[in-house]
Amino acid sequence: MLFMAEQKKLSIISFSGDFDKLTAVFTLATGAAAVGYEVNLFFTFWGLDALKIKQGRSAVGKGFLPKIFGLMMGGIKNAPVSRLNFAGLSPRIFRFMMRKKNIATLEELFDAARLLGINFYACEMAMHVLGLEKEDFIPEVKDVIGVASFLKISENGQTLFI
Amino acid sequence: MLFMAEQKKLSIISFSGDFDKLTAVFTLATGAAAVGYEVNLFFTFWGLDALKIKQGRSAVGKGFLPKIFGLMMGGIKNAPVSRLNFAGLSPRIFRFMMRKKNIATLEELFDAARLLGINFYACEMAMHVLGLEKEDFIPEVKDVIGVASFLKISENGQTLFI
Amino acid sequence: MLFMAEQKKLSIISFSGDFDKLTAVFTLATGAAAVGYEVNLFFTFWGLDALKIKQGRSAVGKGFLPKIFGLMMGGIKNAPVSRLNFAGLSPRIFRFMMRKKNIATLEELFDAARLLGINFYACEMAMHVLGLEKEDFIPEVKDVIGVASFLKISENGQTLFI
């Protein structure tokens, strides 16, 4: 501790599946990784939706109810904005504004996060409730972990819940 | 600091009264307590609803307006989901899914939190605004505190706002 | 580190423009500043709305789409409550309840934050997306910064995302 410079660390519990909050997650994550931080993203509940391979409103998950939730959630490309959503119009306007301003869109930030070596973790319990399996997620998901492991991974750093 | 191993600490400001967010609060809290963390939960605003003795939509609180809010809020058993709530159907589906999968429901997590010796604090200011008194809460509420005390309690640990 | 007492630090990413969450931001911020903390507020997305000079629903921002968002957002005086908003009635009830109880209202907390020397930062990227310039904000905004700078400013303290 006293003799070696520890790598700085940012860990985010990505709970929300909202477009604007996911944008915040990936902006913070890529920004931190770009300046040398170790970045750990722990996806849980609605946030798990961002990790699904099969994007769009698809019946992913085993069992009837998980399928219903899968159909209602639409993956990262259909993530709604947390406010003023206007039936899906608002995320499109944001995407348009971001593209016009040459700012990375959510999908680009997501790709950047993968390239920057950010660690993606999926929450075991939420996957179990929603009937999702590791195979339903993009291969970049490093591990399926529980709370105890996440606390261990995130200790001695900054941790946010978004 | 250098000679004694400090107990790890997780503190959560539980602001939201949403079913899914409360589930996140108690999952993190019990998970952390189970691996030896000191856990402090600071309930404020909508989060205070989870601590009420009189569950269900009841006119708790002194004065007309607090009573109105008390009636609208329904306690931990009526907590809505932050998204896709469908007039209260969604929490029931979640509960059903959690029970089917043998995962602890919110009420069970809540009970586990009490058994694990997690510290419950209620926010003085929010109680004052909402016209709530310590007697309106479950006896496990250790203390009614303000921001300064919470900061002191939570320092040198991980702190989340949920 | 070993010989000097570091000033305690609280940093908040103020993402939400909701009345209740902004109240939480400013209650925590002023409470921390009052007991000697260094407090840094980083406003982004909807949170930027709280910093606008031109309060009320006004077409601030360059370009057509930013103006639309400016009109829809109403500044700190029109911030909606995140739940049970009832078309703007709820914030008024809260204000009424807070005034009746002699608790600082959001505007008073905001003014207190300025007097207490709390640091206000605006998020560069979000300003760019929303077409906002530094001149659109109150003069207390110390700087327009990005994620890397915020991480530097907030390190070794408690950081919350609200």
Side-chain angles (χ1 to χ4, degrees):
Chain A
M1 276 278 269
L2 289 171
F3 301 106
M4 65 174 194
E6 251 182 296
Q7 192 188 7
K8 286 167 194 168
K9 200 192 284 186
L10 175 68
S11 302
I12 304 177
I13 302 172
S14 182
F15 171 91
S16 165
D18 293 330
F19 174 82
D20 45 353
K21 291 199 174 166
L22 279 172
T23 302
V25 168
F26 284 101
T27 304
L28 287 162
T30 53
V35 291
Y37 275 62
E38 172 192 327
V39 180
N40 305 300
L41 302 182
F42 182 59
F43 293 87
T44 186
F45 279 74
W46 315 106
L48 282 173
D49 200 51
L51 300 181
K52 287 196 299 191
I53 292 175
K54 218 170 163 183
Q55 290 292 312
R57 300 182 195 282
S58 56
V60 172
K62 281 180 186 162
F64 177 68
L65 288 167
K67 279 205 190 350
I68 294 291
F69 274 91
L71 280 169
M72 290 188 312
M73 301 297 290
I76 204 165
K77 295 197 178 173
N78 289 292
V81 173
S82 68
R83 289 178 58 181
L84 312 170
N85 192 42
F86 300 127
L89 183 65
S90 212
R92 280 185 222 179
I93 295 178
F94 269 118
R95 279 200 177 78
F96 175 78
M97 282 163 77
M98 287 165 102
R99 213 167 292 132
K100 218 180 122 189
K101 303 275 185 186
N102 285 319
I103 284 173
T105 60
L106 182 49
E107 291 85 354
E108 287 163 356
L109 284 169
F110 192 83
D111 289 339
R114 303 204 275 193
L115 293 172
L116 284 161
I118 286 169
N119 301 310
F120 289 68
Y121 297 100
C123 171
E124 194 173 20
M125 198 202 75
M127 283 171 61
H128 196 53
V129 175
L130 298 170
L132 294 164
E133 314 261 336
K134 199 173 182 307
E135 301 85 66
D136 298 324
F137 298 138
I138 51 169
E140 283 80 1
V141 173
K142 195 173 171 176
D143 217 346
V144 172
I145 61 174
V147 169
S149 304
F150 174 72
L151 287 169
K152 188 134 201 67
I153 286 164
S154 63
E155 72 185 16
N156 299 322
Q158 295 193 46
T159 309
L160 303 172
F161 181 97
I162 298 185
Chain B
M1 275 278 270
L2 289 171
F3 301 107
M4 67 175 192
E6 251 181 297
Q7 193 188 8
K8 286 167 196 169
K9 200 192 284 186
L10 175 68
S11 303
I12 303 177
I13 302 172
S14 183
F15 171 92
S16 165
D18 294 329
F19 175 81
D20 45 353
K21 292 200 174 165
L22 280 172
T23 303
V25 167
F26 284 102
T27 304
L28 286 162
T30 52
V35 290
Y37 275 61
E38 172 193 327
V39 180
N40 305 300
L41 302 181
F42 181 60
F43 293 87
T44 186
F45 278 75
W46 315 106
L48 281 173
D49 200 52
L51 301 180
K52 289 196 299 192
I53 293 175
K54 219 171 164 182
Q55 290 291 313
R57 300 180 196 283
S58 56
V60 173
K62 280 179 187 165
F64 177 67
L65 288 167
K67 279 204 188 353
I68 294 291
F69 274 92
L71 279 170
M72 291 190 310
M73 301 295 291
I76 204 165
K77 296 198 178 172
N78 290 291
V81 173
S82 68
R83 289 178 59 179
L84 313 168
N85 192 41
F86 302 126
L89 184 65
S90 212
R92 281 187 221 178
I93 295 179
F94 269 119
R95 280 200 177 78
F96 177 79
M97 283 162 77
M98 287 165 102
R99 214 166 290 133
K100 219 181 122 189
K101 303 274 185 184
N102 285 319
I103 285 172
T105 59
L106 182 48
E107 290 84 354
E108 287 163 355
L109 285 170
F110 192 82
D111 289 339
R114 304 202 275 194
L115 293 173
L116 283 162
I118 286 170
N119 301 311
F120 290 68
Y121 298 100
C123 171
E124 194 173 20
M125 199 202 75
M127 284 170 62
H128 196 52
V129 175
L130 298 169
L132 294 164
E133 314 261 336
K134 199 171 181 308
E135 301 85 67
D136 299 324
F137 298 138
I138 52 170
E140 283 81 1
V141 173
K142 194 174 172 176
D143 216 347
V144 171
I145 61 175
V147 168
S149 304
F150 174 72
L151 287 169
K152 188 132 200 70
I153 287 165
S154 62
E155 73 184 17
N156 299 321
Q158 295 192 47
T159 310
L160 302 172
F161 182 96
I162 299 184
Chain C
M1 274 278 272
L2 288 171
F3 301 106
M4 67 176 193
E6 251 180 297
Q7 192 188 8
K8 287 168 194 168
K9 199 192 284 185
L10 175 68
S11 303
I12 304 177
I13 302 172
S14 183
F15 170 92
S16 166
D18 294 330
F19 175 81
D20 45 352
K21 291 199 174 166
L22 280 172
T23 303
V25 168
F26 284 101
T27 305
L28 286 162
T30 52
V35 290
Y37 275 62
E38 172 192 327
V39 181
N40 304 300
L41 302 182
F42 181 59
F43 293 87
T44 186
F45 278 75
W46 315 106
L48 281 173
D49 199 52
L51 300 181
K52 287 196 299 193
I53 293 175
K54 218 169 162 183
Q55 289 290 313
R57 299 179 198 282
S58 57
V60 172
K62 282 180 187 164
F64 178 68
L65 288 168
K67 279 203 189 352
I68 294 292
F69 274 90
L71 279 170
M72 290 189 311
M73 302 295 291
I76 205 165
K77 296 197 178 172
N78 289 292
V81 173
S82 68
R83 289 179 59 180
L84 312 169
N85 192 41
F86 302 126
L89 183 66
S90 212
R92 280 185 222 180
I93 296 178
F94 269 118
R95 280 200 177 78
F96 176 79
M97 283 162 76
M98 287 165 102
R99 214 166 291 133
K100 218 180 123 190
K101 303 276 184 183
N102 284 319
I103 284 172
T105 59
L106 182 49
E107 291 84 354
E108 286 164 356
L109 284 170
F110 192 82
D111 289 340
R114 303 203 274 194
L115 293 173
L116 283 161
I118 286 169
N119 301 312
F120 290 68
Y121 298 100
C123 171
E124 195 173 20
M125 198 202 75
M127 283 171 62
H128 196 52
V129 175
L130 298 170
L132 293 164
E133 314 261 336
K134 199 172 183 305
E135 300 86 66
D136 298 325
F137 299 137
I138 51 169
E140 283 80 1
V141 173
K142 195 174 171 177
D143 216 346
V144 171
I145 62 175
V147 168
S149 304
F150 173 72
L151 287 169
K152 189 134 201 67
I153 287 165
S154 62
E155 73 185 14
N156 299 322
Q158 295 193 47
T159 310
L160 303 172
F161 181 96
I162 299 184

